[in-house]
Amino acid sequence: MIVVMKAKASETEFKKVIERIKQENLDVHISKGKEVRIIGVVGDVRRIEPEVLQAFDGVERVIRILHPFKLASRDFKPENTTINVDGVIIGGGKFIVSAGPCAVEGEEMLTEVAFLAKKCGASILRGGIFKPRTSPYSFQGLGLDGLEILQRVKEKTGLPIITEIMSPEHVGLISQYVDIFQIGARNMQNFPLLQAVGRTEKPVLLKRGLMASGEEWLQAAEYVLSEGNPNVILCERGIRTFEGYTRNTLDLSIVPVIKKLSHLPVFVDPSHGTGHWDLVTPMAMGALAVGADGIMVEVHPNPEKAFSDGPQSLKPKVFAEMMQQLAKAAEAFNRPLPFSSERITIPGNETQKGS
Ligand code: PEP
Ligand code: MN
């Protein structure tokens, strides 16, 4: 249930409504828009009838939320959420690119990719230190040893860092090193993990689960929001279907659906979404076209030798070409540009083969 206050409602009227809600042992979340304040009532709302709150002075209307998520919904917060990551504004209209290797393999390769990403207009560096691999025998990542590498590369390039977190007990340590927590597709419904990152203020990029509906995904976001952390970015990364030509089926149609239902920024990951490097650029262009707030892509100096996800990782030249195309397309879509296509130079002439 949400309570929309009148634009002219006084502070006392506002407080009286909150007091009444709390009498029922219900919790409140406040959304302060340009003109009105909205009170989100959370808990077992059957304890209080909407008419009771409607009768209070200063209340414009009381709405029962039909969605199983509240704080993530546009009813609760009509304006887009913007998230400031070290000066990079996510959800503010610019198309933000996060790029980097699937896994942090070492400092040298991460530094190389980070400088390339920066030069080509990417704003955030990605790199996994914990790799939730399907097989326990595959490379599992450098673990906490990778944190120092991430930190040093951040110092060198100034790019904010996103890395996947897999365990609630790592929240305190990892938050000292990175700028965004990534919750992977396999952990989308790891509720203790969602609650643990929800108790921080650090931005959280929440990937859509392999088999999750949009509604389940938004409820997972609600777990983070309801703990008090408003900084959630959703990321579509493909779902499992009967289609075998691609690793996953990238559901670009969910982007405008989610943007209609929710105020949270939405990213797209065309690398995991397709599994093939030559499908990444077309899907990245698609992400821009459907109104995503940004993308996350995998780049590797030498994909043939990558410890993980080589087949879907872009070589530097292909990445630079993609960034150029995106920059030009963003101009055509009349969206504010985070980088201009002229600034991007294509490194080397090495071609990428196979897919
Ligand atoms: C990743 O981004 O490195 C990753 C493992 O992605 P996902 O959780 O979407 O599979
Ligand atoms: Mn990967």
Side-chain angles (χ1 to χ4, degrees):
M1 184 154 61
I2 60 171
V3 182
V4 183
M5 298 301 293
K6 287 185 176 145
K8 290 191 296 255
S10 71
E11 195 59 27
T12 320
E13 288 167 342
F14 178 63
K15 284 196 176 136
K16 277 191 176 159
V17 177
I18 292 176
E19 211 173 287
R20 179 67 188 84
I21 295 167
K22 288 196 168 166
Q23 266 173 23
E24 302 297 337
N25 270 336
L26 294 163
D27 216 355
V28 295
H29 285 258
I30 313 299
S31 159
K32 204 168 178 311
K34 280 197 195 79
E35 291 188 352
V36 295
R37 278 188 288 196
I38 300 177
I39 306 168
V41 187
V42 282
D44 184 358
V45 292
R46 287 170 303 183
R47 293 201 194 123
I48 193 161
E49 287 301 323
E51 294 73 38
V52 172
L53 297 174
Q54 185 71 68
F56 275 70
D57 288 337
V59 170
E60 176 73 41
R61 67 201 140 95
V62 182
I63 308 167
R64 265 196 207 281
I65 304 269
L66 299 174
H67 308 297
F69 48 89
K70 292 188 185 80
L71 308 178
S73 86
R74 276 219 189 260
D75 299 325
F76 173 60
K77 185 169 183 282
E79 303 93 16
N80 288 335
T81 283
T82 55
I83 299 172
N84 186 337
V85 182
D86 246 8
V88 177
I89 309 294
I90 296 174
K94 286 186 180 171
F95 192 71
I96 303 298
V97 177
S98 155
C102 176
V104 175
E105 297 171 7
E107 185 163 343
E108 209 178 309
M109 68 81 74
L110 191 67
T111 307
E112 183 182 340
V113 178
F115 276 114
L116 169 80
K118 188 173 176 175
K119 213 172 106 198
C120 293
S123 312
I124 300 164
L125 178 67
R126 65 147 287 148
I129 53 170
F130 291 105
K131 298 308 305 174
R133 308 301 296 283
T134 302
S135 163
Y137 307 118
S138 303
F139 174 63
Q140 302 287 311
L142 297 183
L144 296 174
D145 293 343
L147 284 173
E148 303 274 323
I149 298 180
L150 286 171
Q151 189 178 45
R152 281 197 294 273
V153 176
K154 179 180 171 171
E155 276 162 16
K156 284 188 240 178
T157 60
L159 284 181
I161 306 279
I162 175 166
T163 200
E164 179 163 355
I165 176 159
M166 283 173 58
S167 172
E169 63 259 31
H170 289 154
V171 169
L173 181 65
I174 294 185
S175 70
Q176 291 168 36
Y177 289 84
V178 309
D179 302 284
I180 308 177
F181 288 128
Q182 177 173 328
I183 304 283
R186 290 157 193 81
N187 274 315
M188 188 203 85
Q189 286 183 316
N190 181 339
F191 301 120
L193 181 61
L194 297 175
Q195 286 168 323
V197 294
R199 287 192 284 270
T200 75
E201 284 178 6
K202 180 112 10 213
V204 176
L205 180 132
L206 176 62
K207 294 243 188 149
R208 180 181 182 183
L210 279 74
M211 300 286 280
S213 67
E215 193 174 274
E216 288 163 337
W217 190 19
L218 286 168
Q219 286 179 92
E222 193 79 10
Y223 265 88
V224 181
L225 299 171
S226 63
E227 291 295 328
N229 187 346
N231 303 313
V232 176
I233 306 150
L234 298 162
C235 181
E236 160 62 27
R237 50 76 72 204
I239 48 174
R240 190 164 278 192
T241 69
F242 53 82
E243 181 50 65
Y245 286 142
T246 45
R247 179 178 179 185
N248 291 292
T249 296
L250 188 66
D251 183 9
L252 285 180
S253 66
I254 202 72
V255 176
V257 172
I258 298 288
K259 297 222 48 110
K260 191 163 62 179
L261 292 169
S262 176
H263 50 85
L264 297 173
V266 183
F267 267 40
V268 167
D269 172 349
S271 306
H272 294 87
T274 63
H276 302 273
W277 69 266
D278 57 339
L279 303 179
V280 171
T281 298
M283 290 296 103
M285 296 286 276
L288 172 69
V290 298
D293 296 282
I295 51 169
M296 172 186 258
V297 287
E298 289 185 342
V299 184
H300 197 285
N302 199 347
E304 297 88 349
K305 296 212 173 115
F307 292 2
S308 58
D309 287 348
Q312 68 193 32
S313 300
L314 301 179
K315 281 196 174 177
K317 179 172 183 281
V318 181
F319 171 68
E321 284 165 350
M322 179 193 77
M323 294 298 280
Q324 236 180 15
Q325 274 195 45
L326 281 172
K328 283 187 193 146
E331 279 160 33
F333 277 108
N334 203 17
R335 287 182 68 181
L337 283 173
F339 49 88
S340 86
S341 57
E342 293 90 56
R343 265 187 39 208
I344 304 166
T345 48
I346 309 293
N349 54 7
E350 206 187 348
T351 52
Q352 190 157 1
K353 296 191 196 75
S355 70

